[in-house]
Amino acid sequence: MSDEYIRFERLVAPFGLDGVDGAYRYPLADCDLVGCLDDLSAVKRWLADYEDIDSTWRKYRLAAELLLNWAWFYQHKAVSSMSATDLDGFLDALANPPRSWLVSSEDQRAPLRKPMEISNISLMRAVISSMVLWMNRHGYAHLRFGVIRQVDNGLQPARRMARGRTPPTEPISLREWHHICQVLDTQCTLEMKAMVELMYFCRLRVSELSRVLWSDVRRPSKAFPAWQIVVRHGGARRIVLASPAAETHEVLMHEMGRAAWSDFVAQLLGSPSRATLEYNVAKVVQKAAAVAREAGDRDSERALLSRKIPALTKAYEVHAPSHLRAIRACLGLNIHDSAGVHPTIQNLTTALDGGHLLQLHEGLREVWTLVRPGWPSLASVERNKGPLA
């Protein structure tokens, strides 16, 4: 949490929070704005539309300044990764702002004289709603508020989509994922568990998973002390596996009775059709809804019943963004590439010599325990020999 409030002209996105790979970004090809690659450039482009109306521009600039400070330094999120709950939380913060927003420093005046009243918060919501609608109309990002307040009756993306654009899939929540984990650990074959974890941790689509071979899996080595998987779909790329998914693959390999599989030319998940794989994943999600119902979590039950497969593939980025940023920073990777990485001896030398990668791995255990309850003892979990129930 930052104790300093940064004025709009001095704002620079913290590492990994620029929104280049924001959770709610449209595909880059959908954006009709030249030069808007990140959130700050998009906000500046939006503000430029009001430069000729000074009083309006100043209000809009303040709203953008407050939102960026809140997103980056208090929520530690890119603006284009903020959920409906996060945006509503920003409005709540205006009624109870951080101390740095109210106290003047030696070189600048505080942005707020006092906590905002309801009328001013409603005005701020209307301004941010204008920005949200503008981002949607131009194909930059799909954001929305969750709570209907006094101004703006809530954005309904399905009715306001420009040019018939389909909004990005809403990622599953962490609570929903935990219900899915319970199903994976108690009602699924190990192959099915491996498949769902690859979708969640590595953003792999069913079409990609159906092509992965055992020979594409890389165990830790001196050259690269982490698990990897090579995906050969639309060009080969290597993806680093989070330890929970790697543990599952190690157990699966052990049950197959193989110490290594570098020469094993066979599909990782057997040879089911794509339709069969999609059906099995959908069945896991349905069973997770039943688990949520038994646990009394009605919100997760309703959400899971409406979930489609793509809701899995962006969830990990939302649940553990610090993990992804730490991995990229440690390996010196281009943060624009959110899933595929190309580790080489050159970009690993510093990390390996200093032992930073191993330290990073230990530091991530807490994150992995959060997103995958029980994963350290995964090797002791007995495999369900029967078919998916």
Side-chain angles (χ1 to χ4, degrees):
M1 184 176 294
S2 174
D3 292 329
E4 183 181 5
Y5 181 88
I6 309 298
R7 287 298 183 182
F8 188 81
E9 291 73 19
R10 295 172 51 207
L11 280 169
V12 177
F15 178 74
L17 302 185
D18 55 11
V20 168
D21 56 354
Y24 299 104
R25 286 288 302 272
Y26 285 111
L28 191 59
D30 283 2
C31 185
D32 57 20
L33 300 167
V34 177
C36 287
L37 298 178
D38 57 27
D39 294 345
L40 185 57
S41 61
V43 170
K44 288 180 177 179
R45 176 65 181 78
W46 165 68
L47 282 174
D49 290 345
Y50 302 95
E51 287 182 343
D52 294 337
I53 311 173
D54 186 62
S55 60
T56 300
W57 181 85
R58 282 188 281 106
K59 292 176 184 177
Y60 279 40
R61 174 193 169 280
L62 175 60
E65 183 180 273
L66 290 166
L67 178 63
L68 289 165
N69 271 270
W70 174 254
W72 290 347
F73 307 122
Y74 288 87
Q75 295 299 99
H76 305 292
K77 286 187 175 183
V79 169
S80 56
S81 290
M82 295 184 75
S83 65
T85 301
D86 293 326
L87 286 171
D88 287 327
F90 165 68
L91 298 179
D92 293 335
L94 297 177
N96 186 24
R99 184 173 181 274
S100 62
W101 293 14
L102 298 172
V103 179
S104 299
S105 64
E106 294 181 0
D107 60 343
Q108 66 180 17
R109 189 173 60 185
L112 301 179
R113 296 181 180 178
K114 61 181 180 178
M116 282 193 180
E117 299 178 353
I118 293 178
S119 58
N120 289 329
I121 293 175
S122 296
L123 175 61
M124 286 290 106
R125 175 181 170 79
V127 173
I128 299 301
S129 292
S130 168
M131 184 197 74
V132 166
L133 187 58
W134 180 89
M135 287 182 170
N136 173 58
R137 181 180 296 118
H138 290 284
Y140 179 79
H142 171 242
L143 301 172
R144 59 184 172 185
F145 290 100
V147 178
I148 297 176
R149 295 176 186 266
Q150 291 185 15
V151 177
D152 187 82
N153 291 324
L155 293 175
Q156 302 297 327
R159 295 201 299 269
R160 296 196 183 187
M161 284 294 120
R163 302 192 303 274
R165 188 183 297 118
T166 302
T169 301
E170 185 90 10
I172 62 172
S173 69
L174 186 58
R175 284 196 301 173
E176 293 170 51
W177 169 243
H178 285 178
H179 294 309
I180 291 175
C181 288
Q182 185 173 344
V183 173
L184 295 178
D185 289 339
T186 60
Q187 303 182 44
C188 291
T189 63
L190 203 54
E191 290 90 344
M192 195 65 216
K193 179 185 297 185
M195 175 182 176
V196 174
E197 287 186 345
L198 285 175
M199 295 177 67
Y200 173 76
F201 285 107
C202 301
R203 293 186 64 182
L204 294 188
R205 300 185 295 272
V206 173
S207 58
E208 295 172 323
L209 284 169
S210 62
R211 293 174 170 83
V212 176
L213 306 178
W214 274 107
S215 57
D216 294 326
V217 180
R218 303 285 186 267
R219 300 187 71 180
S221 64
K222 291 183 179 180
F224 191 79
W227 287 77
Q228 307 164 73
I229 188 167
V230 179
V231 178
R232 307 179 191 278
H233 182 62
R237 69 186 193 279
R238 295 188 182 209
I239 295 177
V240 176
L241 271 67
S243 278
E247 293 279 335
T248 302
H249 283 78
E250 188 166 20
V251 176
L252 186 56
M253 175 205 69
H254 178 75
E255 292 205 357
M256 294 177 64
R258 298 184 63 88
W261 55 75
S262 59
D263 60 343
F264 188 25
V265 183
Q267 285 182 291
L268 181 66
L269 302 171
S271 55
S273 66
R274 176 174 174 176
T276 299
L277 293 176
E278 292 176 343
Y279 172 79
N280 286 339
V281 174
K283 199 167 183 180
V284 169
V285 175
Q286 290 173 3
K287 285 185 169 295
V291 169
R293 181 176 64 252
E294 293 172 2
D297 186 356
R298 295 292 185 178
D299 290 341
S300 293
E301 178 196 4
R302 285 191 292 269
L304 285 165
L305 288 173
S306 65
R307 291 301 191 193
K308 305 297 182 183
I309 288 178
L312 274 172
T313 59
K314 276 195 174 181
Y316 185 52
E317 288 192 359
V318 176
H319 299 165
S322 59
H323 165 201
L324 299 173
R325 291 197 300 275
I327 286 285
R328 295 168 192 160
C330 182
L331 303 185
L333 301 173
N334 186 342
I335 64 170
H336 293 197
D337 189 356
S338 60
V341 300
H342 304 273
T344 66
I345 295 298
Q346 286 71 31
N347 63 21
L348 283 174
T349 300
T350 303
L352 292 174
D353 290 345
H356 299 311
L357 194 61
L358 297 179
Q359 296 172 17
L360 175 65
H361 181 276
E362 293 301 317
L364 292 174
R365 287 182 180 273
E366 183 178 348
V367 175
W368 288 332
T369 301
L370 172 69
V371 299
R372 187 64 171 88
W375 76 266
S377 60
L378 188 60
S380 64
V381 177
E382 292 187 3
R383 178 183 177 185
N384 185 336
K385 297 291 185 179
L388 180 66

